[in-house]
Amino acid sequence: MRHRRQHYLLFPLNWLRLLRRRQQGSMKFRIIQLSLVTATAVALIMLITHLSGFHMKSSYHHETPSQLIKALNPGSTSRRFDSKPSSGSGSVFPSGVATTGRLSPIPSSAQPNILPDSKSWKTTPQHKTTLITKTVCARYYSLLILVSSAPANFERRYLIRQTWGADNNIVPRWKTFFLLGQTRDPAQSDLLKIENSIYGDMIRADYYEHYWNQTLKIQMAFEWAVRYCNFSYLLKADDDVFVNSKRLLDVLQLKTTPKKGLYMGKLHHNPGVQRDGKWRVSYEEYSGTHYPDFCSGAGFVMSYDVVESVVPLFDVIKPYKLDDVYVGMLAERLGVRALDHTGFVMPVNEVDYDKCNFVPNTLIQHRAIGECLIRLFKIHNNS
């Protein structure tokens, strides 16, 4: 039955790909393509919600067939800097994770007195970054979650909305938004407009998506957050992670958690610069032998004051090709110390990327998509 269902799901998409190869560039084909995509989305949503046995109430209250998941090839998000071991990194099961339900205190940070050069940019209508969205947060949130996503990852965004991204309380404590640049695919662009009209949770930038453009996404995310939102903490995450949202918020609300000067995640301490391989950089790009300490870009937390204070530094520290390293550079310039927390579970070995391990007391786990995300959400939600 399962194999038959998967074949049924894949058939419309395979048909769509065949048509696209034969009729690429035709305006008539684009109309046919959008109709097929919508029909495929209807079938997929019905199957997901009724056949898989998994259904969560959407906090956005748009459980309609027009939800466009799996409209195009989802594609895999490129693996991040931390998919290879860094100096001092551990295994997929951190030794410091407790086996009980007790919340772990966060190590004390230096809590520096952050004094940015200027905050006048917040009073000017012109954006400092590539940000084009002007959506204003409806209320104050204890935790603002910003998720980096690629335009084609319709299914990932849908599942996040249905699981850890949603706070269904009458007065929500957290809110999730998705960060996207522009796509050169007209069909994808049309679908993104429809998706945003349904959910209204997409923050857009005026640049074309590319793996080495992620620092532009960081910049526009931070500017949007402090210009248009009021919050205590910000979680910047990728769309291939599981977030234990309730537990993360509980940890952040502990008395021992710094309210200011917080930059926390899976720490890369004194990491060496790679001169070859996927994340190689030339001496012209970076002349040093080691980077400043930084937290994995798959998911890290910052307090409001840190996010607000790094925005003026965008004019001082130019974008760097490795976005998580770039955030570490900004934090170092501010005098903010990156903190490690064992609740951030980041596989460091290539073989661990295909595993879906349950780790007790997880706050954020990379890499979790599809069935793995649903499984982890159910387990943690019932524990």
Side-chain angles (χ1 to χ4, degrees), residues 87-381:
S87 177
S89 57
S91 66
V92 68
F93 295 102
S95 59
V97 175
T99 56
T100 67
R102 182 179 302 173
L103 295 176
S104 303
I106 296 175
S108 176
S109 72
Q111 296 194 35
N113 293 321
I114 301 173
L115 298 174
D117 296 334
S118 173
K119 295 184 180 181
S120 61
W121 62 270
K122 294 178 67 174
T123 63
T124 60
Q126 183 176 359
H127 291 161
K128 288 179 63 64
T129 68
T130 56
L131 174 68
I132 57 178
T133 297
K134 296 183 179 180
T135 301
V136 178
C137 285
R139 58 170 55 87
Y140 160 83
Y141 298 105
S142 297
L143 177 63
L144 181 65
I145 303 177
L146 301 183
V147 181
S148 294
S149 185
N153 292 355
F154 295 97
E155 181 189 16
R156 294 189 186 185
R157 292 190 291 274
Y158 176 80
L159 290 181
I160 290 173
R161 292 184 183 108
Q162 299 299 307
T163 55
W164 59 262
D167 182 355
N168 295 317
N169 292 312
I170 296 177
V171 180
R173 299 185 299 167
W174 74 82
K175 179 73 172 179
T176 303
F177 292 89
F178 295 91
L179 310 169
L180 295 102
Q182 302 298 313
T183 173
R184 299 182 188 277
D185 187 328
Q188 278 187 4
S189 184
D190 291 340
L191 290 170
L192 290 173
K193 292 177 183 177
I194 298 174
E195 181 182 5
N196 195 42
S197 70
I198 294 172
Y199 297 105
D201 60 359
M202 299 166 69
I203 310 303
R204 306 299 304 275
D206 188 20
Y207 72 88
Y208 286 106
E209 290 276 2
H210 189 278
Y211 185 74
W212 300 122
N213 277 347
Q214 294 303 305
T215 54
L216 299 181
K217 186 167 289 186
I218 291 287
Q219 289 183 333
M220 74 94 163
F222 285 7
E223 179 178 6
W224 178 81
V226 295
R227 184 185 283 272
Y228 297 111
C229 288
N230 185 17
F231 59 94
S232 292
Y233 297 99
L234 182 146
L235 166 64
K236 208 298 295 181
D238 285 348
D239 64 3
D240 61 346
V241 304
F242 163 73
V243 178
N244 195 340
S245 306
K246 294 179 180 178
R247 186 172 185 83
L248 175 60
L249 196 55
D250 288 342
V251 169
L252 293 175
Q253 292 179 340
L254 290 172
K255 292 182 179 180
T256 54
T257 301
K259 307 307 176 189
K260 293 185 177 182
L262 181 66
Y263 171 36
M264 177 184 71
K266 170 62 179 177
L267 178 65
H268 292 263
H269 176 61
N270 196 33
V273 177
Q274 297 188 29
R275 298 303 180 187
D276 53 22
K278 181 176 181 179
W279 296 282
R280 65 183 179 275
V281 295
S282 65
Y283 286 96
E284 290 75 18
E285 292 173 304
Y286 190 87
S287 60
T289 59
H290 290 78
Y291 292 124
D293 289 358
F294 67 90
C295 295
S296 167
F300 61 85
V301 173
M302 282 183 165
S303 53
Y304 179 93
D305 63 312
V306 176
V307 181
E308 181 183 51
S309 299
V310 299
V311 177
L313 292 179
F314 295 160
D315 297 328
V316 179
I317 303 178
K318 300 304 179 183
Y320 189 65
K321 65 188 297 183
L322 304 176
D323 57 315
D324 34 19
V325 173
Y326 180 67
V327 175
M329 294 174 177
L330 297 170
E332 182 189 46
R333 179 64 65 93
L334 288 176
V336 174
R337 181 164 60 93
L339 299 178
D340 186 69
H341 194 285
T342 54
F344 290 74
V345 181
M346 309 290 172
V348 294
N349 299 314
E350 198 74 15
V351 67
D352 291 326
Y353 266 96
D354 295 325
K355 295 181 180 179
C356 188
N357 297 313
F358 167 71
V359 181
N361 301 332
T362 290
L363 299 180
I364 298 173
Q365 183 168 335
H366 187 223
R367 174 187 187 203
I369 58 175
E371 292 184 4
C372 176
L373 175 63
I374 296 172
R375 174 178 178 270
L376 292 176
F377 176 77
K378 287 183 175 180
I379 294 175
H380 285 282
N381 205 41

